[in-house]
Amino acid sequence: MLIDEYDAVDEKPEVAVIHPDDSPEEQESEPLADDFETMKTRFLPKLPDLETADEAISTWNIERYRSLHQKERGPLFECGGHSWRILLFPYGNNVDFASLYLEQGRDGEDLEDKPKEGWSACVQFTLVLWNRNDPSMFTYHTASHRFNPEESDWGFTRFAEIRKLFAPQWEDKSRPMVENEAVNVTAYVRMYKDTTGVLWHNFVNYNSKKETGMAVYQIPTEQATDRAKSAWALQRLFYLLQTNDEAVSTQELTLSFGWETRHIFEQQDVQELSRILMERMEERMKGTAAENALAKMFVGKMKTYISCIHVDYESSRIEDFWDIQLNVSGNKNLDDSFKDYIQVETMDGENKYFAEGFGLQDAKKGVIFESFPQVLHLQLKRFEYDLNRDAMMKVNDRYEFPESFDAAPYLSETADKSEPYIYSLHSVLVHSGDFNAGHYYAFLRPKADGPFYKFDDDRVTRATMKEAMEENFGGDYGNKANGALVRNPYTRTLSTKRSMSAYMLVYIRKSRMSSILHDVAESDSPPHIAKQLKDERATLERRRKERDEQHLYLTLGVVTEANFKAHQGFDLTTWDADNTTASKPQIHRVLRTSTVGELVKTLAKGQQVSPDHLRLWVMVNRQNKTIRPDQPLENLDMPIEAAYVKHGSRDKSFRLWAEPATTFEDNKPVWPDMQPTNKNDPPVLVFLKYFDAEAQTLMGVGHIYIKKQSKVADICPMILQVMGWANGSSALSNGLANGNPSPPTLCLYEEIKNSMIEPMKPKATLQHAEIQDGDIVCFQKQLSEKQASAIAQTGGYTDAREFYDYLLNRKQVTFSPKYLTGTDKEVFKLDLTRKMSYEQFSAKVGEHLKVDPTHIRFSTVHIATGKARAVVKRNANQSLNQILSPSFTSYSNSSQRDDALYYEILDMSLSELDTKKALRVTFVTEGFSKEDTFDILAPKMGTVKDLIAGVQKRAKLDDETAQNIRIYEIYNGKVNREYRDETSLTQITEFSILIAEVIPEEERSAGENETAIYCFHYDKEPSKTHGIPFKFIVKPGELFKVTKQRISKRIGFKGKQFEKVKFAIIQRSIYAKPTYLNDEDILSELTRVPEDFLGLDHANRSKGIAGKGDSIFIR
């Protein structure tokens, strides 16, 4: 359609390529504007790789320019079956330039003639404005655009400045461009075939599914509602892809792999993803109808063999493979990589093979394929380790792969070749970027004889064969002049090589194509998946509707008698209680326009009582931070909105208590407060709680009405009646030790707030005791001394006030073993009180573990890492609250958990432990390749020999080995001090980094002329140390190439890892520069022991004692 507001129509770089009026690079003579074919060839060159559908040239002769209207259209002309014309704004489209556009032609302003929905045309065009009297005078602009109903015209708002068009001279010419108010405009139009459907598409309102068109379903997942189940997540993903009209999220699937939100910023490997997915699916398919379905589709077999040349002997092993990793570096195409994979290595000379029964023999060693799977995954090794850069780098070399190939030449002679092994390309997975940053997208061919489609995140577009294959071969950009550099969109670096290249190829065996790429209908999916998704959509829709209508509703909480009776704690209930508890208040969402009476009917229906047997009370926030009923809502016709405005609390919450009727006359409820006989002595609503000392519970039992002038003692008969106890004495004690000689039956307390539980005086009136509607009275049976003693011995509470204090300070603490052994029983939770002393809570833990509490040591837990933070010191005056929530610094308080502790069971008591010193020792073996860290408890006044004994015990070493252990301290990655057995432990601090090792045999048997040198590892600069330093024997007159062999054996470095190590002599001076050694050097002649170190310069890949850190590794 034509857009009237042309100030919004201008060049759009993302959908059109604009070529400004630049002078050509080649020095060619300018053609004349009336030489149309030459002009077309020169200024409208054909775009490579695109097929022309039609071409047209049209010239509009404009007369009386100054008399033109604001907007003029030229004559219609045809191109590609569509009508076109030139659109001119002679005085500019809101600019001081003449504006020219190419427009899809329509008959005047007839809206019926507008392009149909879905219509599009890919057009390259040039508009030329020229002087009809002098065709050498012209100006032009070129553009490429996808015309559609929304953008049916395109061109140049600033085509030519109006002032210059009428100037006496046009550039170097002596006449104006618009001469005698006449000028010509020629349109050169070329339409291209849009084979992919997305040529020059701006993807606004683009619908991938609309434009583009079974073994997993057999896995039983009816009960697999856990998102950690990959099969369940994959089934849901496939079903959503089949049925949804929009892009589908893969979050559920990635969550099932253990990938979280933070991993978005980490580049993941697609081959690893494929293998994880296959492993999870195989695991879930075991024992089901789909068992081995994946293996039949994706698994082939290869044979690794060593075959003797001169004798009849072969050693071989046949293995399954899910994918094949092919070398890219050094190979030009797929065939070269397969030949490289199965090439035969000859084992002769010093590398002869020892054949059992034949001795050393010349042999051939290699790999050959026994079978290929129906679906063949080929991973192209685009990432390799660069020895020069000491880093992983991406190989962007050109590497070609065919649309189809025959895999039979790579099979063994004995393989079954009755069925052709011809494979057809099904998909190409592309990686764009480099090793550190990049993006994956794929080209897939859903049907055997169909086109490729590009799948790039949520966008699916049709692709050409060239886009799917040739453009992903890698290598240099072929059409860039003079080796122009191209910027990588992910790394922002410039390069002549393509950053996008195929990383994984999927081929399907042609003879099995029909069985692999068959149609899957929606009915093939598991029914429960559709039901789950339907329920989820209904839930989401309901929640959306609730959000949209939120302003029409009011959320309120209702406490019932049942909630109060199930509640153990303060007040009538806990408003934020767990939903599974019976004391949780009911939450109702009601229309603001509904009435109180309608809400009462809803509540009565839920409690299965008559609506007139229920009455609502407004609950208010008191100054003592309790929430109690205040007054009943008597007007049932009052709207909920009005009740909320009148009685709602400051925190914008609306809480109600539903009072059930307890007194009836003629089967009609009687509300005591509604019929007061004496206005000065009205009935008061009182809630009752019972503390059962034997059961150690504090529960609500109901409510009563009692007159305000009544005495506190008058409550007792009412309690006896509510509890159903036999009539007894109504005498009341204040719970004090100096009560009446005759033991009372009940003790009464008023629950004022959670920290204020006061005994009630029996002779005081309720008015004197300041009892009002909604107050809570707690009662308990008076216990005999024998009963109280028995309860106290079990750790129970005999007084309601003590139990209230316990509830106030109750704390559930999680105890975990400091050193895990893999049993779940070792992690447990205990309900303790914050006021407990160290001895009290350690006794509780000891009782649970059935261990002497004096042998248990605790450590606090870091809130962020979950690791042990600091050992809790045994202090009789320290409470549990002070241990869990230290108040001496805000930092300490915020950095440790207040609900968890680590524990460790010691071999000795804490008193004995105080005589010990804790030292951490790392015991290294197998040439420093294995490290074991031990926390050793040695006598404070002991020697290093005691420390060695601790290492022997923890490492389970025999006495002979233990005699050869030495301890040394390292500092800044170098040996700082080597300790003798008799060295006192007082000289070693608990923060020292200590290394223990068995002294090598070479050092123990060293001759008198042989010396020892300390060695350390560093990365390029001696100050950047890493790894564990060590002591090494220097032999006089030995060439360094021989010395290196001994060093390799000493530290366990071999092969390429050791070849990359450079060696240097470094003086002890801080600013000393390394002197690097050659193989022909003699170390004993170049070093001055002990002034010099031997440095090993290599990259730091150590995660050992000298370079530990908390890192996240994705596996």
Side-chain angles (χ1 to χ4, degrees):
M1 61 180 287
L2 177 66
I3 301 176
D4 292 332
E5 298 296 332
Y6 271 87
D7 57 337
V9 180
D10 208 341
E11 297 84 357
K12 296 183 180 179
E14 67 271 24
V15 296
V17 181
I18 307 299
H19 302 285
D21 188 7
D22 293 337
S23 60
E25 294 182 5
E26 295 83 1
Q27 295 298 323
E28 297 181 10
S29 59
E30 291 285 348
L32 298 179
D34 56 358
D35 185 357
F36 300 123
E37 288 300 325
T38 304
M39 288 286 291
K40 183 184 71 172
T41 304
R42 179 72 175 275
F43 298 114
L44 194 69
K46 290 186 178 181
L47 299 178
D49 305 324
L50 295 179
E51 185 179 354
T52 301
D54 196 8
E55 294 180 345
I57 301 173
S58 176
T59 299
W60 177 16
N61 299 315
I62 301 174
E63 305 284 350
R64 302 175 63 189
Y65 192 98
R66 294 185 185 274
S67 301
L68 295 176
H69 295 92
Q70 182 181 359
K71 180 166 42 177
E72 295 285 351
R73 289 181 171 87
L76 291 172
F77 63 95
E78 295 291 324
C79 184
H82 301 288
S83 298
W84 304 90
R85 62 187 169 197
I86 300 169
L87 176 63
L88 169 66
F89 285 75
Y91 310 111
N93 184 11
N94 297 321
V95 292
D96 295 330
F97 289 73
S99 304
L100 273 175
Y101 306 90
L102 178 66
E103 180 185 50
Q104 195 275 333
R106 300 194 295 272
D107 185 10
E109 297 298 329
D110 185 3
L111 296 179
E112 297 298 325
D113 191 38
K114 74 174 186 177
K116 297 180 181 180
E117 184 180 357
W119 170 86
S120 64
C122 298
V123 176
Q124 177 194 18
F125 64 95
T126 297
L127 298 179
V128 181
L129 184 74
W130 53 285
N131 186 302
R132 65 175 60 175
N133 298 319
D134 184 359
S136 66
M137 294 174 57
F138 62 85
T139 182
Y140 76 98
H141 285 281
T142 301
S144 302
H145 180 64
R146 183 185 188 90
F147 288 82
N148 55 63
E150 288 75 30
E151 294 178 343
S152 59
D153 44 67
W154 199 259
F156 315 95
T157 301
R158 293 174 173 82
F159 189 89
E161 193 172 356
I162 298 174
R163 176 180 57 85
K164 292 184 178 180
L165 290 178
F166 291 94
Q169 294 183 347
W170 172 263
E171 296 181 350
D172 59 345
K173 303 294 183 178
S174 59
R175 57 202 314 168
M177 175 63 76
V178 180
E179 189 173 14
N180 299 324
E181 295 193 41
V183 73
N184 287 357
V185 180
T186 300
Y188 299 86
V189 180
R190 179 179 293 117
M191 185 179 293
Y192 289 103
K193 292 182 180 180
D194 183 15
T195 56
T196 64
V198 292
L199 180 62
W200 302 328
H201 206 303
N202 60 9
F203 295 102
V204 175
N205 299 323
Y206 180 79
N207 187 324
S208 292
K209 189 158 188 173
K210 179 180 177 183
E211 301 293 339
T212 59
M214 200 55 68
V216 172
Y217 278 158
Q218 296 175 346
I219 304 174
T221 57
E222 289 86 347
Q223 308 301 323
T225 55
D226 184 0
R227 291 192 176 188
K229 301 294 188 298
S230 298
W232 176 80
L234 193 63
Q235 284 182 353
R236 286 168 60 91
L237 179 62
F238 283 174
Y239 181 81
L240 287 172
L241 287 170
Q242 279 183 267
T243 58
N244 269 29
D245 292 331
E246 298 178 353
V248 179
S249 171
T250 59
Q251 186 176 18
E252 286 183 347
L253 184 63
T254 53
L255 282 174
S256 71
F257 299 153
W259 292 349
E260 301 175 4
T261 306
R262 68 176 186 273
H263 300 142
I264 293 173
F265 305 102
E266 301 174 4
Q267 186 171 207
Q268 310 295 341
D269 182 62
V270 71
Q271 186 201 19
E272 182 182 4
L273 166 67
S274 175
R275 289 191 174 181
I276 291 175
L277 188 59
M278 294 295 185
E279 289 172 4
R280 299 283 175 89
M281 294 302 102
E282 275 283 286
E283 183 180 345
R284 290 290 298 154
M285 287 178 175
K286 288 181 179 177
T288 72
E291 186 170 6
N292 294 324
L294 291 182
K296 292 176 182 177
M297 193 180 302
F298 297 104
V299 173
K301 294 185 181 296
M302 66 170 65
K303 181 174 74 172
T304 304
Y305 65 89
I306 300 178
S307 178
C308 294
I309 298 174
H310 304 298
V311 297
D312 185 16
Y313 182 88
E314 180 179 285
S315 172
S316 62
R317 181 178 71 254
I318 296 179
E319 299 174 310
D320 292 341
F321 68 86
W322 290 80
D323 55 39
I324 304 173
Q325 299 183 42
L326 299 176
N327 287 324
V328 172
S329 183
N331 297 311
K332 295 181 179 180
N333 50 44
L334 200 64
D335 180 59
D336 287 352
S337 292
F338 267 107
K339 291 177 179 178
D340 177 55
Y341 199 93
I342 63 173
Q343 69 175 338
V344 178
E345 175 188 352
T346 302
M347 304 175 68
D348 56 8
E350 296 181 357
N351 193 31
K352 287 186 177 182
Y353 174 67
F354 182 82
E356 187 175 352
F358 297 96
L360 293 175
Q361 295 288 330
D362 293 341
K364 293 182 179 180
K365 177 182 178 182
V367 174
I368 194 70
F369 294 99
E370 293 293 326
S371 67
F372 287 105
Q374 301 177 46
V375 181
L376 179 61
H377 280 107
L378 302 178
Q379 191 222 342
L380 307 182
K381 296 171 69 173
R382 286 283 182 183
F383 298 102
E384 290 187 351
Y385 183 76
D386 190 323
L387 290 173
N388 296 325
R389 301 185 184 184
D390 193 24
M392 293 292 292
M393 301 296 292
K394 184 178 179 182
V395 180
N396 284 318
D397 297 344
R398 182 176 177 85
Y399 181 89
E400 299 178 4
F401 48 90
E403 184 180 357
S404 65
F405 78 100
D406 186 0
Y410 319 121
L411 290 168
S412 68
E413 295 178 356
T414 58
D416 181 9
K417 300 179 184 178
S418 57
E419 183 181 342
Y421 275 95
I422 298 176
Y423 284 84
S424 178
L425 183 64
H426 171 259
S427 56
V428 180
L429 186 66
V430 181
H431 180 269
S432 178
D434 65 4
F435 178 75
N436 298 307
H439 175 64
Y440 286 112
Y441 55 91
F443 292 89
L444 274 74
R445 182 154 41 184
K447 296 184 178 180
D449 55 350
F452 275 96
Y453 290 87
K454 181 181 179 181
F455 291 75
D456 190 354
D457 290 340
D458 60 348
R459 182 178 296 166
V460 180
T461 56
R462 185 169 172 174
T464 64
M465 189 66 70
K466 180 179 179 180
E467 289 173 330
M469 295 182 60
E470 185 178 340
E471 291 187 2
N472 300 307
F473 287 166
D476 294 333
Y477 288 95
N479 57 350
K480 299 299 177 182
N482 301 322
L485 299 178
V486 178
R487 187 176 298 278
N488 187 316
Y490 300 99
T491 63
R492 310 305 301 165
T493 57
L494 295 172
S495 175
T496 59
K497 288 185 179 294
R498 298 177 184 270
S499 63
M500 70 290 290
S501 53
Y503 182 67
M504 183 175 282
L505 307 174
V506 179
Y507 284 88
I508 298 179
R509 197 171 179 180
K510 281 190 174 183
S511 57
R512 306 292 180 91
M513 190 78 74
S514 59
S515 62
I516 298 295
L517 298 181
H518 63 82
D519 293 332
V520 180
E522 184 176 343
S523 58
D524 295 326
S525 62
H528 67 275
I529 293 293
K531 184 178 182 302
Q532 284 177 0
L533 291 168
K534 183 179 179 181
D535 294 343
E536 288 176 11
R537 291 191 186 104
T539 302
L540 290 173
E541 178 60 24
R542 176 175 54 80
R543 290 176 180 172
R544 183 199 63 77
K545 187 177 180 181
E546 289 177 358
R547 286 196 303 270
D548 293 343
E549 299 177 351
Q550 188 171 2
H551 64 288
L552 302 175
Y553 288 84
L554 179 68
T555 301
L556 49 84
V558 180
V559 182
T560 65
E561 193 85 347
N563 297 144
F564 176 59
K565 290 181 178 180
H567 176 58
Q568 174 164 294
F570 305 105
D571 230 336
L572 299 186
T573 187
T574 302
W575 291 95
D576 57 353
D578 190 274
N579 290 327
T580 59
T581 62
S583 63
K584 173 72 175 178
Q586 300 175 9
I587 304 299
H588 293 270
R589 186 170 177 263
V590 298
L591 280 169
R592 292 176 179 266
T593 55
S594 63
T595 63
V596 174
E598 291 172 343
L599 175 60
V600 170
K601 290 180 181 179
T602 301
L603 296 175
K605 184 178 180 181
Q607 298 183 29
Q608 297 181 349
V609 298
S610 176
D612 60 349
H613 291 183
L614 210 59
R615 184 169 67 157
L616 296 181
W617 285 64
V618 175
M619 301 187 73
V620 297
N621 297 331
R622 293 185 177 180
Q623 291 183 351
N624 59 9
K625 297 183 179 179
T626 60
I627 303 173
R628 304 287 175 84
D630 182 62
Q631 57 181 302
L633 290 173
E634 299 176 356
N635 184 2
L636 297 181
D637 295 327
M638 177 186 287
I640 293 293
E641 173 75 14
Y644 170 67
V645 172
K646 184 176 181 179
H647 302 291
S649 58
R650 292 180 180 178
D651 60 359
K652 298 184 179 181
S653 58
F654 195 31
R655 301 184 179 98
L656 302 172
W657 174 58
E659 176 190 7
T662 56
T663 306
F664 299 90
E665 290 182 3
D666 298 330
N667 202 29
K668 292 184 179 181
V670 176
W671 308 106
D673 62 321
M674 299 282 288
Q675 301 171 340
T677 57
N678 184 356
K679 294 183 178 180
N680 296 323
D681 190 17
V684 180
L685 171 66
V686 176
F687 291 90
L688 299 177
K689 284 185 180 180
Y690 171 47
F691 169 57
D692 188 344
E694 295 180 353
Q696 292 292 292
T697 58
L698 176 68
M699 310 292 288
V701 294
H703 70 282
I704 60 172
Y705 282 93
I706 185 169
K707 291 186 176 181
K708 202 163 189 176
Q709 298 299 333
S710 301
K711 293 185 179 180
V712 172
D714 295 336
I715 301 177
C716 291
M718 304 178 75
I719 293 175
L720 296 176
Q721 183 179 359
V722 170
M723 298 299 294
W725 294 337
N727 291 332
S729 172
S730 62
L732 178 71
S733 169
N734 60 7
L736 303 177
N738 57 352
N740 294 326
S742 179
T745 303
L746 300 175
C747 301
L748 298 187
Y749 304 90
E750 181 187 358
E751 181 186 315
I752 301 174
K753 59 180 181 179
N754 55 16
S755 60
M756 186 179 293
I757 314 298
E758 297 292 339
M760 301 182 71
K761 297 179 181 180
K763 295 182 180 181
T765 64
L766 296 184
Q767 184 174 7
H768 185 266
E770 298 182 352
I771 299 297
Q772 60 182 351
D773 286 332
D775 283 352
I776 298 175
V777 173
C778 173
F779 64 92
Q780 72 171 99
K781 291 181 180 179
Q782 182 69 33
L783 301 175
S784 65
E785 291 186 6
K786 184 177 181 180
Q787 290 174 320
S789 176
I791 294 172
Q793 286 180 359
T794 61
Y797 298 94
T798 58
D799 189 278
R801 289 169 294 180
E802 294 177 353
F803 193 77
Y804 268 107
D805 185 72
Y806 160 71
L807 293 178
L808 177 62
N809 293 285
R810 181 171 54 181
K811 183 78 174 179
Q812 189 178 69
V813 182
T814 302
F815 292 90
S816 306
K818 191 172 183 179
Y819 303 104
L820 296 176
T821 59
T823 58
D824 293 335
K825 293 181 180 179
E826 292 179 321
V827 179
F828 58 93
K829 296 181 180 180
L830 292 179
D831 285 330
L832 308 173
T833 173
R834 293 181 177 88
K835 290 186 176 181
M836 276 185 170
S837 66
Y838 181 95
E839 301 296 339
Q840 289 174 324
F841 85 77
S842 64
K844 290 279 188 182
V845 175
E847 181 182 350
H848 179 88
L849 294 172
K850 298 180 182 180
V851 174
D852 187 344
T854 62
H855 284 60
I856 303 176
R857 183 167 65 169
F858 301 96
S859 301
T860 56
V861 182
H862 197 284
I863 194 171
T865 64
K867 296 182 178 180
R869 187 171 173 272
V871 173
V872 177
K873 294 184 179 180
R874 187 182 181 188
N875 187 343
N877 298 323
Q878 194 174 25
S879 67
L880 178 62
N881 187 56
Q882 292 171 325
I883 293 172
L884 293 174
S885 303
S887 57
F888 44 87
T889 64
S890 59
Y891 173 78
S892 297
N893 191 18
S894 63
S895 63
Q896 79 172 50
R897 286 182 58 179
D898 63 352
D899 62 347
L901 289 171
Y902 280 117
Y903 71 88
E904 52 184 319
I905 301 173
L906 306 176
D907 296 333
M908 62 189 76
S909 67
L910 293 174
S911 300
E912 185 181 356
L913 181 64
D914 290 339
T915 66
K916 303 290 185 179
K917 186 172 190 175
L919 295 172
R920 177 165 292 182
V921 181
T922 299
F923 182 53
V924 293
T925 54
E926 299 179 12
F928 296 88
S929 61
K930 183 180 179 182
E931 302 174 12
D932 293 302
T933 301
F934 304 128
D935 289 322
I936 308 295
L937 291 173
K940 288 184 178 179
M941 304 308 295
T943 63
V944 170
K945 193 170 184 179
D946 296 315
L947 192 59
I948 292 174
V951 174
Q952 178 186 3
K953 182 178 180 181
R954 294 292 298 273
K956 299 179 181 179
L957 305 175
D958 54 52
D959 293 339
E960 183 180 354
T961 303
Q963 290 178 357
N964 294 316
I965 290 180
R966 68 160 161 234
I967 304 286
Y968 60 91
E969 177 186 339
I970 65 175
Y971 180 74
N972 284 342
K974 301 176 183 177
V975 177
N976 184 50
R977 183 177 179 185
E978 187 176 339
Y979 293 107
R980 298 178 179 273
D981 289 356
E982 60 274 12
T983 302
S984 173
L985 294 181
T986 57
Q987 300 182 30
I988 305 176
T989 68
E990 59 184 8
F991 304 106
S992 300
I993 301 176
L994 301 177
I995 305 296
E997 70 162 342
V998 178
I999 302 173
E1001 174 62 30
E1002 183 183 57
E1003 184 177 340
R1004 297 200 301 268
S1005 60
E1008 295 182 358
N1009 296 330
E1010 296 175 350
T1011 58
I1013 188 172
Y1014 289 118
C1015 310
F1016 70 93
H1017 307 264
Y1018 68 93
D1019 187 356
K1020 297 179 183 177
E1021 298 180 13
S1023 59
K1024 297 179 179 179
T1025 58
H1026 61 88
I1028 299 178
F1030 58 96
K1031 192 176 183 181
F1032 181 70
I1033 295 299
V1034 179
K1035 295 181 179 293
E1038 182 182 66
L1039 291 176
F1040 193 67
K1041 63 180 180 181
V1042 180
T1043 305
K1044 288 198 310 185
Q1045 295 175 2
R1046 291 195 297 113
I1047 295 175
S1048 173
K1049 181 179 179 181
R1050 173 78 169 92
I1051 62 178
F1053 278 23
K1054 297 178 180 179
K1056 291 184 178 180
Q1057 184 184 16
F1058 186 73
E1059 292 174 2
K1060 291 183 289 184
V1061 178
K1062 294 184 289 187
F1063 297 87
I1065 297 173
I1066 304 171
Q1067 297 180 358
R1068 288 184 178 269
S1069 171
I1070 299 177
Y1071 304 104
K1073 294 183 179 180
T1075 303
Y1076 287 93
L1077 300 172
N1078 298 318
D1079 286 352
E1080 303 304 318
D1081 290 332
I1082 297 175
L1083 184 61
S1084 60
E1085 297 178 357
L1086 299 175
T1087 58
R1088 297 175 298 169
V1089 178
E1091 288 82 5
D1092 295 339
F1093 287 107
L1094 178 62
L1096 284 70
D1097 181 2
H1098 59 98
N1100 179 13
R1101 293 190 184 86
S1102 171
K1103 301 177 182 65
I1105 186 68
K1108 286 186 177 178
D1110 297 328
S1111 301
I1112 298 175
F1113 296 95
I1114 308 303
R1115 291 285 180 251

